[in-house]
Amino acid sequence: MKHRALLIGMIALLPFTARATQADQIKASHAWIRLLPANLPAGGYVVLDNQGTSSAALLSAQSSAYGSVMLHQSTTSPAGSDTMRMLDRLHIPAHGQVALAPAGYHLMLQQATHPLKPGDKINITLNFADGSHLQVPFLIRPANATD
Amino acid sequence: MKLSRFARLACLLIAGIMLAACQRHDAAAPWQLTDISGHMPDLSFQLTDDRGKNVTAADYRGKVTLLYFGYTHCPDVCPLTLAHLHVVMQRLGNLADGARVLFVSVDPTRDTPEALHAYATAFDPHVVGLTGAPADIETLTKRYRAAFSREPGKSGGDYDVSHSSGIYIFDGNGRARLLATPEDSQDKLIHDLHLLLSTGGAT
């Protein structure tokens, strides 16, 4: 009897003691790619929700559908000039949301390994700071798609 | 009581002034975008279109033109702007036939007419891709103070190009009229283009 109570207690505590990985905490939604003609670099977008109690950091991404996937940010200078820069990491605060969306954070996808067309879905693996991975299906959309 | 009547009077007065100011503003400038009439030179260029034809600004006389600088290896901001302009053209309906979006490449080394043709047509039939000699493109960007620079240092000969994000709008006579920024809503663009297109740019 005493043992059973202890066991129940331990089971009840399990979810709090087992450490969730960053990938476990992240819910990805609205994942899509703006397909451009002639194998031009494409932008990948996704909304990342951190449902955990600790912050997560996206470090990189990869996909068998692209030779190169880079984490980028588009910025507009006060003078109205657009430029892109590479990011080392993207923090997603606990209980917070970060959107990779046009004209901001995005994945720059280059060297498609096979021809893609609107309506296709490809997987992209997101790599987090603790070494965990999250595979997300991205919908291929036409060049002139608006969010 | 005296104070409250004074306050009410003051409110009325202020409201009146504001209304008058609004009306005066509307009468002088019906535009929702930034009015650049008289502040920017007329449209002038000598470039090659996405079908390989040599063109000048005179080829687009009679059309309301939207001049936008970009490059095809720009995966994020340029496609977003062109996708928005596609929606604007769609929403203008038949009036859009009187408009052309001139997408001028600031990366002529990679943006051949063929590359630009595939790119332009992927967005909207009213988009024309323009490329040309680097000096001719520089002349055009300088004319509209649309700075751009190349940022080398990446592997594999890749480089980023930073470029001005404004959309310069010219009337059918090639006169600079309006400037739109990416922050301006589609509604503002549609409002002003509707006005320019329905008056034939004669206002």
Side-chain angles (χ1 to χ4, degrees):
Chain A
M1 199 60 192
K2 213 175 178 184
H3 271 102
R4 214 174 120 189
L6 194 68
L7 195 68
I8 289 170
M10 277 171 70
I11 289 168
L13 274 172
L14 210 58
F16 301 99
T17 52
R19 232 190 147 75
T21 65
Q22 293 187 1
D24 291 335
Q25 294 176 191
I26 301 293
K27 191 182 149 282
S29 60
H30 198 49
W32 65 285
I33 291 166
R34 183 193 300 285
L35 185 69
L36 295 174
N39 215 359
L40 284 168
Y45 308 104
V46 60
V47 177
L48 301 174
D49 275 292
N50 187 349
Q51 299 177 331
T53 52
S54 55
S55 79
L58 177 64
L59 297 189
S60 61
Q62 86 254 357
S63 172
S64 61
Y66 286 94
S68 159
V69 182
M70 283 188 286
L71 190 53
H72 271 210
Q73 183 181 19
S74 295
T75 49
T76 302
S77 75
S81 178
D82 287 322
T83 191
M84 288 198 308
R85 69 186 184 101
M86 238 171 100
L87 294 179
D88 291 333
R89 56 173 58 213
L90 179 61
H91 282 282
I92 308 133
H95 302 298
Q97 184 189 79
V98 171
L100 279 76
Y105 299 123
H106 60 276
L107 298 174
M108 175 152 148
L109 309 156
Q110 288 176 284
Q111 300 140 31
T113 52
H114 61 272
L116 298 166
K117 59 181 192 304
D120 290 352
K121 275 202 168 176
I122 63 128
N123 285 319
I124 294 180
T125 304
L126 305 179
N127 305 317
F128 293 93
D130 64 349
S132 60
H133 311 282
L134 180 67
Q135 186 169 296
V136 181
F138 278 67
L139 175 67
I140 306 290
R141 298 180 64 199
N144 57 15
T146 46
D147 208 29
Chain B
M1 193 64 203
K2 211 172 178 185
L3 188 75
S4 118
R5 191 183 296 166
F6 174 75
R8 232 179 297 158
L9 197 72
C11 279
L12 257 170
L13 203 70
I14 290 166
I17 290 167
M18 279 169 72
L19 201 70
C22 282
Q23 279 170 344
R24 206 177 315 137
H25 177 77
D26 278 349
W31 312 109
Q32 295 186 357
L33 301 169
T34 306
D35 190 347
I36 55 166
S37 299
H39 298 285
M40 283 281 178
D42 292 356
L43 188 63
S44 170
F45 60 80
Q46 198 168 353
L47 296 168
T48 306
D49 75 5
D50 60 43
R51 293 177 187 277
K53 191 178 151 234
N54 292 329
V55 288
T56 67
D59 290 291
Y60 302 96
R61 283 289 147 86
K63 301 284 183 197
V64 168
T65 52
L66 290 78
L67 182 70
Y68 177 60
F69 297 98
Y71 63 111
T72 68
H73 283 69
C74 160
D76 188 39
V77 171
C78 307
L80 175 67
T81 304
L82 291 173
H84 276 306
L85 290 177
H86 163 65
V87 176
V88 166
M89 291 297 138
Q90 271 192 326
R91 287 179 57 189
L92 283 169
N94 290 337
L95 271 179
D97 292 341
R100 290 291 179 273
V101 176
L102 305 180
F103 178 77
V104 178
S105 171
V106 293
D107 185 12
T109 317
R110 290 187 292 192
D111 289 343
T112 59
E114 301 77 48
L116 274 174
H117 185 71
Y119 191 81
T121 50
F123 289 97
D124 191 274
H126 302 94
V127 178
V128 178
L130 296 175
T131 187
D136 289 337
I137 289 170
E138 206 182 321
T139 303
L140 184 58
T141 57
K142 279 191 172 157
R143 189 174 174 85
Y144 298 103
R145 296 170 226 156
F148 73 94
S149 61
R150 193 164 289 180
E151 288 156 30
K154 290 172 87 183
S155 59
D158 276 1
Y159 49 88
D160 285 337
V161 182
S162 95
H163 59 101
S164 176
S165 52
I167 301 163
Y168 303 79
I169 302 173
F170 299 82
D171 64 23
N173 296 317
R175 283 195 301 256
R177 301 297 296 270
L178 301 160
L179 176 66
T181 68
E183 288 76 39
D184 284 320
S185 66
Q186 288 176 2
D187 287 345
K188 281 187 182 180
L189 270 160
I190 289 161
H191 173 273
D192 285 5
L193 285 173
H194 203 281
L195 216 56
L196 262 185
L197 286 161
S198 45
T199 56
T203 49

